């Protein structure tokens, strides 16, 4: 190969590499980069101090429009601003503030860029039925609702001789439906001998665990009969007492009537033997 | 001297003695009649879920019961006139018990309408009218006090039944509760068995007083069962010519439109203002307590010698006071304002309830009271049923409770003023009639005594 041609080839080759490097450099200059704050883990049981999630748009890109925050895939209202440094403040952080947060920056001529910050917390059971009363043969539903992130794994246990045991589903009447932050335990065809008692729902995730108990009571079909018989007995006793009292008074009443009739009629002038005593009826 | 009012009945009412036992049994009967339909609302949510119906369909159960109780009034009156109070109340108690027990086995909502609503309603009607009537037969001088005490049954029984029903519901579910309530309502039978017919110790009146002047309280001759036509035996249409009765009826029809609605909407109004459920329920308890204590007090006040002769004015005052309360309610701010309103409204409600039937007895007299109250209740049935839904419609239309309160206030203030004016004229007319009759009586008495004097003289002469 001619030495001049070789030199030209090397030069064009290095130019190409340089060019592509420069292109990469320039384009990486155009890609926005976001400096975001760290992932947060909320402490269990004690109140966390207030903090903020921050996102700074570095790499000075000029066609930036605005920025907003999203929580768990939905936009947080009133979080839109024009700033390159945007912050989402949590004044009183609670378990239900946990979730996946995203700060999103929109641009005129490029697709939006985002960064993800996770706030994790131990699960906290916020909704459950304290007690459930059902008749035997009916279906009972116990449920638990929680807040916290990541979504917990649910389990149900029954209090048996002082310790909570796994549910025994040999009879096939227990059904557990769980999803994300909600679980329910369905018991079909309640049996008054084995089903009543304390049940516990347990929510566990990578940070911590929480449980709540519900009491299930099963009423027998014949339960209201005893009070009813008691009430009927009370009524029969009262009526008997009253009737007996009336019957005892009746003969006395007849005597009283004869006695009472006498003096009342003395106002009439007809009965007086002494005709001189003429009484005007002065009522 | 004009004949005393007692001679209207033809006998002297005991005004005590067994009468107080009667007041107690009327207390129980009236208590169940008014409080029972209201206390059933505790079960509605569960029954609604069980039968998968809407809330308004389940609320009909209470409405049907109340409507039947008012509409069956004339039937109750007829039976009381024929058989006396005791058998009717006992049958009433049995009907309610039967209705509740059969409702506990019901499989559709229509069963509940029929068993609780219709049969239960009839039973309660057979409890209400006879209890009111028998008080009129046992009391005259102390009648306002007896009426006030008997009407106290309503808030007291409601106060007892509400938590009891909640307890029964938690322990036994709605079917078991209905079964047990059926037993409990049989206590009305016990109350009825105490309602011994009054012993009519006849005061023997000289023949001259058989002039059949029945006093200012009855403008028409007595209803005697033999001489009247068939219809008039059962429904005394001549009452519609009675001045006092007409005044009472017209005023009542208007006031009942605004009577119950404020009670129904007290808790929702509180919740609408942002007050929590328990405090809102507490308002109702305050109202019930205030109501409970003012009824006997009103009865006592109505009995005093200053109020008794002009008791109609007292009633007119109570009605107007209700109206003023409702008109002022929207102006009272916050929870404290609502508490004050609940206390004063309780006073007003209790006063009105205690005097409601006493004034009717005062106007038509104890003999025709049974028929009068039957006619009144069936005519009042309409306003009682329509009042709360109309108020509800007002609230929905304006989105604000104050217009409803203003309307209810007007509905009560207008009859109050109407009563004041009309009874002023009525009292004047009654005084004129009494005066005229007294003059007639005196001349008649003098004539007869003159005759007796002559007869005695002639007998003396014969003896001698």
């Amino acid at each position: 190969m001619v030495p001049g041609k070789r030199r030209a080839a090397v030069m064009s080759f290095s130019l190409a590499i340089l060019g592509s490097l420069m292109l990469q450099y320039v384009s990486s200059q155009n890609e926005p980069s976001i400096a975001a704050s760290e992932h947060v883990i909320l402490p269990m049981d004690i109140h966390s101090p207030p903090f903020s999630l921050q996102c700074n748009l570095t790499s000075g890109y000029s066609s930036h429009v605005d920025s907003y925050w999203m929580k768990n895939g939905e936009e947080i209202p009133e979080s839109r601003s024009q700033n390159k440094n945007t912050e989402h403040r949590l004044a009183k952080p609670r378990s239900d503030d946990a979730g996946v947060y995203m700060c999103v920056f929109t641009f005129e001529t490029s697709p939006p860029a985002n960064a993800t910050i996770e706030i994790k917390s131990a699960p906290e059971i916020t909704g459950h039925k304290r007690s459930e009363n059902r008749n035997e043969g009916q279906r009972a539903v116990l449920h638990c609702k929680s807040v916290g992130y990541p979504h917990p794994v649910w389990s149900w246990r029954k209090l048996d001789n002082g310790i909570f045991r796994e549910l025994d589903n040999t009879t096939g009447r227990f059904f557990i439906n769980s999803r994300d932050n909600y679980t329910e335990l369905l018991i079909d065809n309640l049996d008054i001998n084995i089903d009543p008692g304390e049940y516990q729902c347990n929510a566990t995730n990578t940070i911590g665990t929480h449980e709540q108990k519900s009491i299930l009571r099963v009423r027998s079909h014949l339960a209201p009969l005893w009070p009813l018989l008691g009430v009927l007995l009370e009524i029969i006793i009262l009526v008997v007492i009253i009737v007996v009292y009336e019957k005892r008074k009746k003969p006395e009443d007849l005597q009283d009537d004869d006695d009472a009739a006498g003096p009342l009629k003395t106002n009439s002038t007809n009965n007086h033997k002494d005709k001189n005593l003429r009484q005007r009826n002065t009522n | 001297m004009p004949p005393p009012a007692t001679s209207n009945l033809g006998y002297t009412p005991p005004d005590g003695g067994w009468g107080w036992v009667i007041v107690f049994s009327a207390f129980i009967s009236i208590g169940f009649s008014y409080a029972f339909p209201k206390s059933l609302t505790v079960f509605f949510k569960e029954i609604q879920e069980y039968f998968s119906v809407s809330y308004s369909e389940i609320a009909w159960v209470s409405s049907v019961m109340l409507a039947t109780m008012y509409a069956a009034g004339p039937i109750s009156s007829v039976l009381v006139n024929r058989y006396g109070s005791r058998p009717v109340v006992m049958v009433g108690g049995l009907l309610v018990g039967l209705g509740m027990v059969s409702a506990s086995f019901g499989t559709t909502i229509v069963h509940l309408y029929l068993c609780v609503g219709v049969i239960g309603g009839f039973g309660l009607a057979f409890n209400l009218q006879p209890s009111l009537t028998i008080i009129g037969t046992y009391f005259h001088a102390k009648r306002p006090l007896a009426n006030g005490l008997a009407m106290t049954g309503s808030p007291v029984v409601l106060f007892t039944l509400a938590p009891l029903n909640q307890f029964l519901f938690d322990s036994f579910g709605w079917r078991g509760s209905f079964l047990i309530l059926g037993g409990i309502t049989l206590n009305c039978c016990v109350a009825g068995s105490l309602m011994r017919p009054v012993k009519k110790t006849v005061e023997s009146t000289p023949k001259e007083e058989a002039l059949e002047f029945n006093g200012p309280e009855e403008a028409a001759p007595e209803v005697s069962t033999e001489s009247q036509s068939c219809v008039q035996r059962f429904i005394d249409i001549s009452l519609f010519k009675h001045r006092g009765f007409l005044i009472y009826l017209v005023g009542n029809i208007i006031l009942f439109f605004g009577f119950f609605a404020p009670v129904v909407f007290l808790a929702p109004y509180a919740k609408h203002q942002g007050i929590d459920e328990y405090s809102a329920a507490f308002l109702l308890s305050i109202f019930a307590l205030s109501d409970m204590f003012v009824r006997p007090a009103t009865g006592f006040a109505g009995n005093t010698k200053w109020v008794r002769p002009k008791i109609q004015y007292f009633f007119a005052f109570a009605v107007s006071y209700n109206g003023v309360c409702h008109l002022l309610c929207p102006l009272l701010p916050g929870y404290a304002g609502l508490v004050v309103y609940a206390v004063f409204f309780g006073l007003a409600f209790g006063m009105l309830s205690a005097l409601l039937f006493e004034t009717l007895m005062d106007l038509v007299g104890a003999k025709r009271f049974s028929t009068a109250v039957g006619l009144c209740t069936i005519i009042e049935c309409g306003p009682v049923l329509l009042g709360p839904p109309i108020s509800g419609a007002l609230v929905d239309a304006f989105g604000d409770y104050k217009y409803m309160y203003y309307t209810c206030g007007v509905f009560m203030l207008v009859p109050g003023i109407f009563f004041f004016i009309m009874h002023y004229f009525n009292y004047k007319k009654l005084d004129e009639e009494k005066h005229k009759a007294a003059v007639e009586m005196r001349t008649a008495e003098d004539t007869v005594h003159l005759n007796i004097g002559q007869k005695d003289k002639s007998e003396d002469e014969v003896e001698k």
Side-chain angles (χ1 to χ4, degrees):
Chain A
M1 206 176 193
V2 179
K5 272 199 183 148
R6 202 158 133 215
R7 208 177 296 141
V10 168
M11 268 194 75
S12 57
F13 184 65
S14 43
L15 259 176
I17 292 179
L18 200 63
S20 69
L21 275 175
M22 273 186 73
L23 197 63
Q24 239 184 9
Y25 179 66
V26 167
S27 60
S28 70
Q29 276 276 357
N30 292 341
E31 251 182 46
S33 70
I34 303 172
S37 46
E38 292 291 311
H39 297 303
V40 180
I41 295 182
L42 293 175
M44 276 170 62
D45 295 343
I46 57 172
H47 289 300
S48 154
F51 62 89
S52 309
L53 304 175
Q54 286 173 333
C55 280
N56 296 337
L57 181 65
T58 56
S59 75
Y61 209 65
S62 52
S63 80
H64 154 245
V65 175
D66 62 9
S67 58
Y68 59 89
W69 287 88
M70 287 173 79
K71 179 183 174 186
N72 295 332
E74 281 177 20
E75 181 178 334
I76 301 175
E78 291 168 25
S79 62
R80 282 208 179 227
S81 69
Q82 312 282 350
N83 302 337
K84 283 192 185 162
N85 305 334
T86 179
E87 126 180 322
H88 180 67
R89 184 160 177 77
L90 291 159
K92 275 197 215 158
R94 294 192 315 259
S95 297
D96 64 351
D97 288 320
V100 179
Y101 286 81
M102 236 169 25
C103 58
V104 183
F105 293 89
T106 53
F107 304 98
E108 274 174 37
T109 49
S110 323
N114 57 53
T116 305
I117 308 171
E118 288 183 347
I119 298 185
K120 294 191 186 178
S121 77
E124 187 184 323
I125 297 178
T126 52
H128 74 291
K129 236 189 223 174
R130 212 157 282 155
S131 75
E132 171 89 336
N133 302 331
R134 289 263 164 232
N135 294 332
E136 53 177 340
Q138 281 189 319
R139 160 193 277 212
V141 177
L142 300 173
H143 65 87
C144 289
K145 209 183 291 194
S146 79
V147 292
Y149 180 79
H151 296 305
V153 170
W154 291 99
S155 62
W156 284 92
R157 293 202 282 258
K158 181 167 192 273
L159 186 66
D160 205 3
N161 289 340
I163 52 171
F164 282 97
R165 263 183 244 270
E166 287 296 325
L167 295 175
D168 174 15
N169 202 7
T170 47
T171 51
R173 294 178 298 117
F174 292 82
F175 301 95
I176 299 178
N177 303 327
S178 304
R179 57 166 197 281
D180 287 353
N181 277 336
Y182 179 75
T183 184
E184 56 184 23
L185 170 67
L186 280 85
I187 311 177
D188 264 344
N189 203 6
L190 286 169
D191 183 324
I192 195 170
N193 297 314
I194 53 177
D195 286 335
E198 269 184 39
Y199 289 78
Q200 190 195 58
C201 64
N202 178 302
T204 306
N205 69 4
T206 50
I207 315 295
T209 179
H210 194 218
E211 57 239 353
Q212 280 286 10
K213 63 178 194 306
S214 308
I215 300 179
L216 176 67
R217 293 191 200 99
V218 183
R219 312 176 195 125
S220 118
H221 283 308
L222 299 177
L225 276 187
W226 290 112
L228 178 68
L229 287 176
V231 169
L232 287 177
L233 194 69
E234 165 242 329
I235 288 173
I236 291 175
I237 291 176
L238 283 176
V239 172
V240 163
I241 292 176
I242 292 172
V243 167
V244 165
Y245 181 66
E246 293 274 303
K247 287 267 154 40
R248 265 191 28 198
K249 271 213 102 190
K250 263 273 163 79
E252 295 171 14
D253 263 352
L254 291 173
Q255 280 181 5
D256 277 348
D257 266 337
D258 288 337
D259 288 344
L264 276 177
K265 291 208 168 89
T266 52
N267 278 342
S268 159
T269 53
N270 294 333
N271 286 344
H272 275 278
K273 301 268 172 11
D274 188 341
K275 292 271 194 293
N276 290 326
L277 225 74
R278 265 173 289 156
Q279 287 187 346
R280 269 187 109 166
N281 193 337
T282 51
N283 271 353
Chain B
M1 191 178 131
T6 50
S7 67
N8 293 329
L9 296 162
Y11 64 94
T12 323
D15 265 311
W18 191 252
W20 298 117
V21 179
I22 297 288
V23 167
F24 174 70
S25 60
F27 178 97
I28 305 264
S29 272
I30 294 176
F32 270 103
S33 298
Y34 280 117
F36 198 69
K38 290 183 209 158
S39 66
L40 287 181
T41 52
V42 172
F43 302 109
F44 282 175
K45 192 146 181 276
E46 164 103 345
I47 300 178
Q48 184 189 342
E49 284 169 14
Y50 185 86
F51 287 124
S52 310
V53 291
S54 70
Y55 183 74
S56 60
E57 283 180 313
I58 196 75
W60 269 105
V61 174
S62 251
S63 304
V64 170
M65 196 176 205
L66 205 64
T68 318
M69 182 174 101
Y70 272 77
I75 303 177
S76 191
S77 308
V78 165
L79 289 172
V80 169
N81 283 334
R82 195 74 183 281
Y83 299 110
S85 293
R86 182 192 269 179
V88 183
V89 175
M90 293 183 83
V91 167
L94 273 175
L95 276 179
V96 185
L98 205 71
M100 293 306 287
V101 167
S102 47
S104 75
F105 296 109
T107 50
T108 69
I109 191 92
V110 180
H111 280 163
L112 287 187
Y113 290 153
L114 287 174
C115 298
V116 176
V118 177
I119 300 180
F122 266 98
L124 292 182
F126 290 172
N127 265 295
L128 182 63
Q129 255 83 322
S131 314
L132 296 167
T133 312
I134 202 168
I135 293 179
T137 63
Y138 263 86
F139 285 90
H140 187 83
K142 298 215 182 93
R143 199 177 59 200
L145 180 61
N147 264 313
L149 283 171
M151 292 299 282
T152 318
S154 173
V156 167
V157 171
L158 184 61
F159 209 69
T160 323
L161 270 187
L164 178 71
N165 276 6
Q166 186 64 46
F167 167 72
L168 285 176
F169 171 63
D170 285 337
S171 314
F172 303 108
W174 70 270
R175 285 188 192 272
S177 303
F178 275 17
L179 198 63
I180 296 174
L181 279 174
I184 291 178
T185 49
L186 286 179
N187 277 304
C188 292
C189 290
V190 175
S193 63
L194 288 169
M195 291 184 181
R196 210 188 283 163
V198 67
K199 219 172 12 179
K200 301 198 174 176
T201 55
V202 181
E203 40 177 67
S204 138
T205 57
K207 297 182 206 99
E208 62 270 29
E209 282 191 335
L211 268 181
E212 289 282 304
F213 177 69
N214 292 317
E217 294 179 2
E218 292 173 32
E222 279 182 47
V223 177
S224 65
T225 46
E226 299 82 59
S227 55
Q228 314 284 52
S229 71
C230 195
V231 173
Q232 223 173 345
R233 264 171 74 177
F234 293 118
I235 304 175
D236 190 0
I237 311 254
S238 66
L239 269 175
F240 284 110
K241 298 199 202 101
H242 189 286
R243 208 171 42 239
F245 179 73
L246 282 176
I247 299 174
Y248 181 86
L249 194 62
V250 169
N252 269 34
I253 290 176
I254 304 177
L255 82 87
F256 268 99
F257 273 110
F259 191 43
F260 288 115
V263 188
V264 171
F265 285 106
L266 185 60
Y269 178 51
K271 283 188 220 155
H272 178 79
Q273 292 204 328
I275 297 169
D276 64 284
E277 267 200 45
Y278 290 107
S279 307
F282 188 58
L283 280 176
L284 279 174
S285 308
I286 298 176
F287 166 78
L289 276 175
S290 172
D291 185 10
M292 209 185 291
F293 285 111
V294 91
R295 288 192 196 205
T298 312
F300 189 73
N303 224 99
T304 55
K305 65 174 191 281
W306 304 290
V307 180
R308 184 84 192 272
K310 305 288 177 193
I311 202 168
Q312 302 295 335
Y313 289 140
F314 195 28
F315 182 62
F317 166 72
V319 177
S320 321
Y321 173 41
N322 260 293
V324 167
C325 261
H326 297 322
L327 285 174
L328 290 178
C329 174
L331 303 173
L332 300 170
Y335 186 62
L338 277 178
V339 170
V340 168
Y341 169 70
V343 170
F344 280 103
F345 179 35
L347 290 179
F349 194 83
M351 248 204 272
L352 205 162
S353 305
L355 293 172
L356 190 63
F357 293 109
E358 169 58 32
T359 43
L360 185 58
M361 269 188 225
D362 184 62
L363 286 168
V364 302
K367 276 213 190 89
R368 305 170 77 189
F369 174 74
S370 170
T371 327
V373 79
L375 285 175
C376 266
T377 51
I378 195 174
I379 295 175
E380 284 162 8
C381 193
V384 163
L385 278 184
L386 291 175
I390 291 180
S391 306
L394 274 172
V395 171
D396 288 337
F398 291 103
D400 195 352
Y401 282 82
K402 66 175 188 209
Y403 294 107
M404 179 208 90
Y405 276 104
Y406 289 148
T407 318
C408 289
V410 166
F411 267 128
M412 305 224 56
L413 197 58
V414 167
I417 298 175
F418 171 76
F419 280 137
F420 268 121
I421 300 174
M422 296 308 286
H423 281 301
Y424 173 70
F425 289 119
N426 194 35
Y427 273 133
K428 255 176 54 177
K429 273 248 152 136
L430 288 174
D431 281 339
E432 281 170 25
E433 284 169 10
K434 212 188 287 184
H435 187 73
K436 208 168 60 175
V439 167
E440 283 176 17
M441 280 298 301
R442 210 164 289 141
T443 46
E445 263 185 25
D446 286 339
T447 334
V448 176
H449 276 289
L450 218 57
N451 289 340
I452 287 183
Q454 286 180 348
K455 199 171 95 178
D456 278 350
K457 240 190 240 163
S458 58
E459 281 178 6
D460 281 343
E461 285 171 10
V462 167
E463 270 201 9
K464 286 183 191 145

